[in-house]
Amino acid sequence: MTAIIETDGLAKHFRSFWRRRVVRAVDGISLAVKPGAAFGLLGPNGSGKTTFVKLLLASVRPTAGRAMLFGRDCWDVAARRAVGYLPENHRFPTYNTGSQMLDFYAALSGMPRLERKRRATELLELVGLSDWGGVRIGKYSKGMLQRLGLAQAMMHRPKLLILDEPTDGVDPVGRREIRDILGALRREGVTIFLNSHLLGEVELFCDEVAIIRRGRVAAAGALAELTAASGYRLSADGVSDAVREELRRSAQQVAVKNGLVDFHFADREAANAALDRLRQSGSQIDSFTHVRSTLEEVFVRAVEESKEGA
Amino acid sequence: MIETLALVRDTFRESFARKIFWGFLGCSTALILVFLLALHIDLVEGAMAAVSVFGQSVDRGRLVEVDTVVKKLLGGVAAFLFSAGLFLSVFASAGLIPTVFEPGRIELLLSKPVSRTRLLLGRYLGTLAVIAANMAYLVLGVWIVLGAKTGVWHWSFLLSAALTVFCFAVILTIVLLVAVLSSSPALATMVAFFFLIVSPVLAQHARLAPLFNTQWPRDVVQGLYYLFPKVYDMGNMSRLALIERSVSSWIPLWSSAAFAVVTLAAGLWVFSRKDY
C-alpha cells in the first residue's frame, strides 16, 4: 500500500549570510505514514518539526532527499490537491469574514463556487462558528481562529490533514471538540499528521509517533509499542527482610511505602516468580500491575538518549 | 481559472479593506464632478464655445473652438494620469504584493494545489485590475461628461488611458521583483519611484551625453535609457495620440514591454526558488 507521506533522507540545511555557519534544521529524515493513520510528530523547540512540515508542503526546498505525498513528489502541484493544512502562527487576512476566508482558500483548491458555499456553511456549523461567518476575522479570538483554520483545512474534503499545533489557544472544551472532529475524520479514513508539543494531545489521539531532535529521528513507531510495558509492579504486605533481599536480586527497583514493599520487575517471568515466592513465604499481595511508559517518559528518554549519542 | 479569479478577487478585497480602492474612487469622482458641475461650456454656432470653470471665464470671454477646448482638457487629465496618477498608483498598490509574503500567510498559500507562478501572477493581475478599474472609471467618466457637454468624442483619449495602464503594468513588474526579493513594501515603492523619476532624466540622453568628458559615462546613460522602462516617452506618445499626431518611434513601447517581460520572469523565477 502506498504511504500517504513518505520521506527519504530528507534534509534542509540553512546557511548563514556569509555561508560560514550551517544549521541542519532537518538532517536526513526518513518516515512513512500509512493511509488512515493518526501520526504525531514530536520534538523539543527548534528540533526541526516545522521545517519538516514546510518541506512536505513545498514551502522550503530540500537540501537533500525527497518528500512524497500520495506517491508523488511534494513539489508536484497535484500531490497537494488532497492535502488540508493548518499552519502554526497562521495569519489569515483580517479583511475577510470567516465565510470569505473559507471560500478563498477552497477556491485555491479548485472547488466550484456552489459547493464552496454549501461546505462553508456546513463547516462553520461543525466548528461552532455558524453565527460568526459574516464577521471579519480581525474580531475573532485565538481559539476561534484555530477553529476557523481547521475548517479551512477541511473545506475541500482532503484525504490528508497536516495540522501544526491545532489546539494552540483553544480552551479544554474546545480541544475536546477538535479531537472529536478529528476522530470523526479518521473514521472516514482521513490520514492525520499532527505536529504538536502537547504530549497529552498526541497520546490521546495518535497511534503512531516520531520524535525528532536536532533534525533527526530520535524514536519512531506505533505509540502502543513505544509506551509498551516498561515492567511490572508488585506490591506486598508482610514481606520478611530475607525475602525482600532475595527478590532485590531480580527486581529493578525496591521501595517501601506505607508499610508495603513495592517491587518493580522488567519482565513478566521475573514478576511471576516473585509472586510465587511471596505467596510461599506467607506475604499478602496488595497489587500486581502491568506498568506502561507515558509518552512523556518515552519522549524524555528518546531526547536524552539522542543527546548522549550525539 | 477558479484559482486565478480567487486571487484577483482577494486582491480587490484587500484594496477595499485598506481603503486604497475607495480613496482612488473618491479622487476620481471628485474630478469627474468638477467636469460635470463646475465646468461650463456654452456652445455658440456649433463649433465655437465659451468656457468657464466655477463661473470664471478661462478664455477671457473669447470664443474658442470646441475641439481645442476638449483636447486641452483631456490633455490635462492625461498628463495628470501620467504624472501624479502613476505615482499615486504605485504608492497605493505597492503594499498589495508584498503582503502575500508575510509569514503565516505565505505557507498556507503555498500548501494549496496552485503553482507558485500562478499564485504570483494572480496577485499581479489583481493589483493591476484594481488600478485599471479606477483609471477606467476616471477616464470614462471624464470622457463621457465632456463628450455629452460638447458633442466631441475623442477616442484617442481612451488610447492614451490604455497607455497609462500599460505603463503602470510595466512599473508593477519592478514592484513585484523587489517585493519577492525583499518582502518590503517600502523598498518596492522606493525602487519603483526611482524608475519613475529617472525616466525623464534618461529621456534627455542625447542632451546629457555631451556634458561628459569621457565616453563611458555617455555609454552608460545611453545604455540605461534603452534598458529602463521609458515612462516619460510613453507619456509623450500618449500626448501625441491625443492631438492625433503620428508617433515617430515605437521603441519606448516595445522596449518597455521587453523590460516588463524580463523583470516579471525574474520575479517569478526568484519566487519559484525561494524558501518561506
Side-chain angles (χ1 to χ4, degrees), chain B residues 17-96:
Chain B
R18 287 160 161 253
K19 317 282 189 293
I20 293 166
F21 192 90
W22 306 119
F24 256 77
L25 203 72
C27 290
S28 302
T29 306
L31 199 61
I32 293 168
L33 285 176
V34 167
F35 279 95
L36 185 69
L37 305 173
L39 179 73
H40 192 73
I41 301 173
D42 285 326
L43 290 178
V44 185
E45 293 171 8
M48 305 295 273
V51 183
S52 65
V53 178
F54 294 111
Q56 301 292 312
S57 170
V58 294
D59 284 297
R60 297 193 187 95
R62 286 182 290 118
L63 290 179
V64 289
E65 274 190 48
V66 177
D67 193 53
T68 311
V69 170
V70 173
K71 271 184 185 167
K72 274 186 183 174
L73 290 170
L74 292 178
V77 175
F80 170 79
L81 278 177
F82 244 97
S83 50
L86 267 181
F87 271 93
L88 282 175
S89 301
V90 170
F91 186 73
S93 62
L96 290 174

Side-chain angles (χ1 to χ4, degrees), chain A residues 12 58-59 61 95 152, chain B residues 10 104-105 112 116 275-276:
Chain A
K12 180 66 189 179
S59 272
R61 276 189 186 273
Y95 49 81
Q152 168 278 132
Chain B
D10 186 59
R105 184 168 172 182
K112 298 295 169 190
R116 288 189 176 202
D275 289 341
Y276 288 97

Side-chain angles (χ1 to χ4, degrees), chain B residues 161-239:
Chain B
L163 210 54
T164 315
V165 174
F166 170 75
C167 218
F168 176 73
V170 173
I171 296 297
L172 194 61
T173 62
I174 301 167
V175 172
L176 180 138
L177 176 61
V178 179
V180 170
L181 287 169
S182 69
S183 303
S184 162
L187 188 64
T189 314
M190 277 167 63
V191 176
F193 277 3
F194 167 78
F195 277 89
L196 284 176
I197 292 164
V198 87
S199 174
V201 178
L202 290 175
Q204 308 302 320
H205 61 105
R207 288 181 189 171
L208 283 174
L211 300 176
F212 298 106
N213 293 326
T214 49
Q215 185 60 35
W216 71 266
R218 293 178 199 153
D219 294 340
V220 168
V221 170
Q222 195 85 356
L224 289 178
Y225 170 73
Y226 286 106
L227 194 67
F228 284 7
K230 292 152 195 69
V231 180
Y232 181 81
D233 299 70
M234 284 194 281
N236 262 342
M237 286 173 83
S238 154
R239 189 178 56 83

